Amino acid sequence: MAVCIAVIAKENYPLYIRSVPVQNELKFHYTVHTSLDVVEEKISAVGKAMADQRELYLGLLYPTEDYKVYPSHMIIVYYTPVCIFFLLIENILLYRHTRYGYVTNSKVKFVIVVDSSNTSLRDNEIRSMFRKLHNSFTDVMCNPFYNPGDTIQSKAFDSMVSAMMVQAS
Amino acid sequence: MEAHEEKPIIYTMENKPIVTCAGDQSLFTSLYTSLAQQLPRESMEWRRSYGRAPKMIHLEANFVQFKEELLPKDGNRALLTFPFLHIYWTDCCDTEMYKASVKDDMLRWQSTLRLHGSVDWLIVVVESEAKKKNKTNILPRTSIVDKIRNDFCNKQSDRCVVLSDPLKESSRSQDSWSAFLTKLRTLLLMSFTKNLGRFEDDMRTLREKRTEPGWSFCDYFMVQEELAFVFEMLQQFEDALVQYDELDALFTQYVLNFGAGDGANWLGSFCAPVKRWSGLLLRRPIDMEKRELIQRGEASLLDLRSYLFSRQCTLLIFLQRPWEVTQRALELLHNCVQELRLLEVYVVQGALDCWVFLSCLEVLHRIEGCCDRAQLEANCSHTVGLWTYATEKLKSLGYLCGLVAEKVPTSEDLNRTVDLLAGLGEERPETVNSLQSPYKKLNEALSSVEAFEKHYLELSHAAMEMYRAIGRMRSARLIGKSLAEFYMKKGDPERAEGFLDDSLRSYVAEGWRLQVTHTRKQMAECQKLLQQTEDYLQTSALLAGDANLTEEERKHFCQEILTFASQPPAPSDQTVALSMAAFAQLRQMQFSPPGAVVHVGAALQLELRVRCLMPVAMQVEQLAATLHFSLEQGGARGRAGSAQRRAGHGPQGQGDGVVMFPQGSPLAGAGMGASLPPALELYEMQDRSPSDSSLTSTGVVCKNMHLLLRRHDSSASLDTPTAGALPAAVAVDDGAQMLRARDITLQPGDNSILFTAPTGEPGSYTLRQLCGSVGRVQFVQSHIYPVVQYEVYSQEPQLTIEPLSDNLLAGIPQKVTFTIATGHYSVKKGDALQLSNTDSMPILHSSCCSATVLSSTGGQPSIHPLERMGESALSIQSSEKVTSISLPPTPPYHTLEFQLEVLCHIPPTPFKPDIERLTNGEVRHRPKSHSHVDSGMINIDQKVSIDCPWSIYSTLIALTFYVPFKAKHSILSAGKRKYIQVCLQNVSDTNFHLADPVLTERQPTVSMELLSLNVKTQQPVCSQQSVFCLWEMRWAKPLPLCLQCAFSASFAPVSASDTHTAFKPYRYEFQLDRVSTLYSLKAEISPPSGDQHCRTGALCGLEVSITRQAEPSETEGEEEESTEIEGLRTTKLMYEVVDNSSNWAVCGKSSGVVSMPVAASATHRVQMEVMPLFAGHLPFPNIKVFKYLPHNAVPAIQPDTDSCLENDTISLLDKGLDDQGDTASIRSRGSVHSVGSGEQQRGLPMPRLEPFSPGQVFYWSQGRQVLVLPVTDDHVMEVNVT
């Protein structure tokens, strides 16, 4: 399904990046990195009117001839377990918190790159992939031994990503 | 009319729905202008089928003369030529004429219409007043209309309208016009709805047949496009666009299905090899060429897509949505490439690139054509994608055609180019005259290497500029990087360098390792070409340590460095300094000893753990750490503690001399440190009040707040990458002192290097730089953080004397410890301590006296346990004045300990402060003694003067001894017999045995004998307990006035093993004055006469008899004032009855003065009256006796009585005298001799009273009681508890 899945920290360094054709890894890295331009653009455009914006999915933003890059961003509040708890309940709570400036927000971005020839993929399938990714990432964040900002080395996360990639072939 | 006929029906956007006109053509011609004007003036609501939203629509029409050919034949679905309404015009107003010609004409018209199934018609009857007037035989106007209605509109009377006086400006004419127009519009819309509905139904039916074998997409395409045309004609561009989008989607779906294996026959034509790739053509509204191709079923996929897109583009531009065009264009181009791939269509290599390139430029041109510059600049984000795509494609064409090389293209390349250009065909007529047409550009770019470069650079820079303008720095850098690759291919590394550097910085800043590695590799290549040796070596070093590269690559770069390093240095260039970070990472440093504080000359080792990042073992000739030395003032010994703290509790300190270097995440090498905030450094803070050091507040302090709160430009990080791709040039500073290790081999991975730190001078040493030399190359780490430092101190020798126990007690031998911290002084053989002997504190020789040498190399004795080094006997020689202790040889910075026994003699009490002279005569001092406030112990400060070998001055050390005992004495009397009691209190914390208490006279007299009444010779005295000893005095001769006594006893601590030798003497001296009894007092209370007992309230007699006990001795006589009256020597005494407990009321005089004859057994009796106030056994009132000294008498002894006492007695006397008068008048019974004496004394100067010493007056009735009965036998008993 996906050929490359990346989780990118607020500071724009990769927390996790994995691609299926290993020989093309570098190309995917370049693609994902460049797509951050569009993500940032979109986030800042969205940010202006983000009163109650719950849509994290940014849609297809960075198509290339060979791949479709689907970025998504999420706002995750970390540093306090309480906030992660909120995250689990409802995203909307987080935004409320963010607005009042009680918590640091971190714009973690997800990027899924899909082969352009894979035309059977529908928008909502991509969405569900993001949702899965999001949930799995939340689990990673909830791990008390995970240090926010570190690269993700969770096996569970890895296997989930693998599952999403395997479906492609 | 002619004009209308001639007007050709062409497919232009000026198409309007066709309305045919029949009947009177000249009449219509006269009305045409106003009709054409007024028809679109008002909009009509168009209600539509299938639930589509109603629309307001402005109608226009193309009025043409009615011809039968215009009517559509069966099966012809051309909508554009379809006449939607047929109008018959007539201005006939007389019946004859109507019947004659008009009716027939209309019938014919009607039948023609009916033949073709057209039901949309209208008959217009124009009336004009002028015509009416001309005709005389006119019928009423209505009749013609009615007739027509009757004849033709049998049920649709609205199909015939009247237009009255259309050419006149009257309200009537206006009304009829508007009614007519409304009718016309309504009918037109009805016709649209009906006909379009029918058409759509047909179209759908056709579409449903698409699974049938003979179905052709091209045919269907034409049908649906017809509908689109109609909507376009009606200005419904949105609807028209929908038609094209539907066609687009349908086609796409077919292609996808084909890809999934479900191929349709008609797709075969699209799978033909692509022969022409001339790009999109957007300049015409309709590309008839392509349309015809489609119509004929000969179109290729690219043709179809191009045509579809050109139509969509046209509509979108009509809809004022140019930016959607660009977006769709990009999608289309991507999609076409994918579709051709999916359909496995054969395309000449590079042809698609040509097509995409041309199309991109065409779209951009089209957009530029319909927008102004400002708009274009504001919407860069929409066009930049196309620019980039075009750039990419041109680049790949360039590579394909051999235009990106230093060489000239080969013939093969040229052939390919010719083939590609052939596929473009001729240039379109629209653009022939344009100089900048995409066609020309491509032609030119492929014509020569130079032209290609020009065009490619132009495009790249344009795209980059746009990306920069909209803030997509990453994309801009990616283009920059591909430009760099281009330059490298062209052999122009100078220009490539800047772009590479820029991208590398951004990747490093954002921590993308793969990109960093890849770009760095390119950078290395570039730098090598540029012969920037230092930069190249630095980059090579980074690459050699890069885990993302293969082992071979890393070794290659490592070898590059080694090759350079081993070259003999040219005279001009010096060594090359590279950053250590690429070469090795510091892991930790460990001091041994761990305190990192040593004395001068001590051994201090520093173990450095380094992780070498190189892929092969590196031979490092020298690894050196420069030291910054600072001489710390204020003595190293005092600072040692703080240094310890610093080294031990630094930010990374482990407290055991280990300094850990922060290990960033694996990304650290890629510059992650720049983007991650530093970790919080929190410290606990406690605020205590200065007065009582109680906690007033506590909190947590962040030490590196300035770092954390610094503004972080997260967004700007890309624009100004802080972490350089190459570390800043490293300068090697040449410190005077350094840690050095030579000829080390650093294996890949962790290495441990041992340094020996110089400790020559006292001060603080801080590690500054680390520098490893490999041939000509030096790897330099310019800062070592966290700060690593050690301290070297120098210590003065020091001697301390401390007691073994808490307090030193005087009087018993006790051990004290001598501690010598040698410091920098080395104790040599023959060195000795010279102690000046004092009498009050002799130093006792002890047979087994040995000294212990302890090492204190660990630095802080308080923290590190001393290591026992050895023991050796001490030889102590004592002369009269000096005790000399010869010390065993001790190395510097060691501790020498030994114990000596000392004894401080208890000075005889009470102290007579005297000045003692020390034996060496140098210092005069006296042992200070003062009572210890807490324990009541008296302490003695004993100073010892010691001459140390390391100093020419004597050292004075004070020892404080405490006197363990406190003694008190008292004299007790029984009549004439006397006893001496001594109370000895143990004030120390030690239990003692007390033995042989002896009381002696200091100047022994034979006449007196002290008889001991003590039973035990030895008894324990526990801590804080007292022992009483009693002696009876016996004497033969009269006692001397003053007795000097001395109490002495032996004591020893209970714990002392050898009790006999341990007993030490204690002595207490005191003096007794006026011991012998002079007077005895006796009191007697007698009940009132006739009563057996005293009763409360009843006066009782008190008789006091004062008896002289002894002749005053010679000495005593002197002090007593005696007067000679009639040969009888008398002394005056004053007595006083005092009842302190208010049991008695003294009636009459309570005091008086009596003269006592100076003779033994002379007795004086005084009668007084007292009244008991309570019943019960009442103690006798107190009777006191004083010496009464007349004013002129000079007291023999200035008594100890203080002024207070004197005042008391005076007031007492006054009181007594005042009473005297009163009582005398009341009572005269118990009068005293000297009634008048009081009178006598009045006016005289004050006499004085003087108390007797204890023991001189003996009161017999002390403690006696008398029974007092209550006066009445009350039932109520008064109990007074006091």
Side-chain angles (χ1 to χ4, degrees), chain B residues 1025-1163:
Chain B
Q1025 305 280 327
S1026 299
V1027 166
F1028 293 88
C1029 302
L1030 197 65
W1031 286 267
E1032 189 180 352
M1033 294 170 72
R1034 299 264 175 93
W1035 62 89
K1037 286 206 270 183
L1039 285 169
L1041 197 62
C1042 181
L1043 270 176
Q1044 301 281 336
C1045 296
F1047 168 81
S1048 67
S1050 300
F1051 69 96
V1054 170
S1055 55
S1057 51
D1058 188 6
T1059 36
H1060 292 292
T1061 54
F1063 275 106
K1064 297 293 168 190
Y1066 177 77
R1067 202 173 154 81
Y1068 174 63
E1069 292 176 2
F1070 57 93
Q1071 179 179 317
L1072 293 171
D1073 293 325
R1074 281 169 287 183
V1075 183
S1076 56
T1077 310
L1078 283 181
Y1079 299 98
S1080 65
L1081 292 176
K1082 209 169 195 175
E1084 202 66 54
I1085 291 176
S1086 53
S1089 53
D1091 208 340
Q1092 223 168 358
H1093 293 287
C1094 299
R1095 290 185 188 275
T1096 51
L1099 285 172
C1100 307
L1102 172 68
E1103 190 187 67
V1104 178
S1105 55
I1106 305 169
T1107 310
R1108 178 104 200 180
Q1109 289 290 339
E1111 288 284 337
S1113 58
E1114 291 303 312
T1115 48
E1116 277 176 54
E1118 283 169 21
E1119 72 174 290
E1120 258 183 288
E1121 184 59 36
S1122 56
T1123 44
E1124 292 273 349
I1125 303 167
E1126 299 157 19
L1128 193 66
R1129 277 173 69 208
T1130 56
T1131 47
K1132 282 191 174 168
L1133 290 178
M1134 184 187 154
Y1135 67 89
E1136 190 188 10
V1137 179
V1138 182
D1139 181 37
N1140 288 325
S1141 51
S1142 317
N1143 289 330
W1144 301 93
V1146 182
C1147 304
K1149 288 196 323 176
S1150 64
S1151 58
V1153 178
V1154 294
S1155 294
M1156 287 294 292
V1158 185
S1161 309
T1163 304

Side-chain angles (χ1 to χ4, degrees), chain A residues 6 9 12 15 45 48 53 58 67 85 89 111 129-130 133-134 143 147 150 163:
Chain A
N12 289 333
L15 289 174
K48 281 166 195 155
Q53 192 249 355
L58 297 176
Y67 303 109
F85 177 65
I89 302 171
V111 175
M129 277 165 79
F130 274 126
L133 203 59
H134 191 153
N143 179 358
N147 203 0
D150 285 359

Side-chain angles (χ1 to χ4, degrees), chain B residues 59-103:
Chain B
L59 285 168
E60 279 184 277
N62 190 8
F63 296 94
V64 297
Q65 192 182 0
F66 176 76
K67 283 177 189 166
E68 203 174 334
E69 304 94 85
L70 283 177
L71 291 174
K73 294 166 188 66
D74 264 349
N76 186 354
R77 293 198 192 80
L79 268 180
L80 279 183
T81 53
F82 184 81
F84 284 95
L85 191 62
H86 309 276
I87 306 176
Y88 192 91
W89 300 85
T90 180
D91 59 352
C92 174
C93 52
D94 75 64
T95 328
E96 294 308 312
M97 198 179 140
Y98 170 70
K99 282 186 176 160
S101 62
V102 177
K103 191 180 176 184

Side-chain angles (χ1 to χ4, degrees), chain B residues 65 206 517 1192 1201:
Chain B
Q65 192 182 0
L206 187 59
T517 309
N1192 53 349
T1201 50

Side-chain angles (χ1 to χ4, degrees), chain B residues 164-178:
Chain B
S164 28
D165 283 332
L167 299 173
K168 285 201 178 141
E169 295 284 325
S170 70
S171 65
R172 185 153 165 266
S173 128
Q174 294 250 315
D175 288 350
S176 75
W177 260 116
S178 87

Side-chain angles (χ1 to χ4, degrees), chain B residues 667-681:
Chain B
L667 297 170
M672 272 314 302
S675 54
L676 276 184
L680 280 176
E681 283 180 25

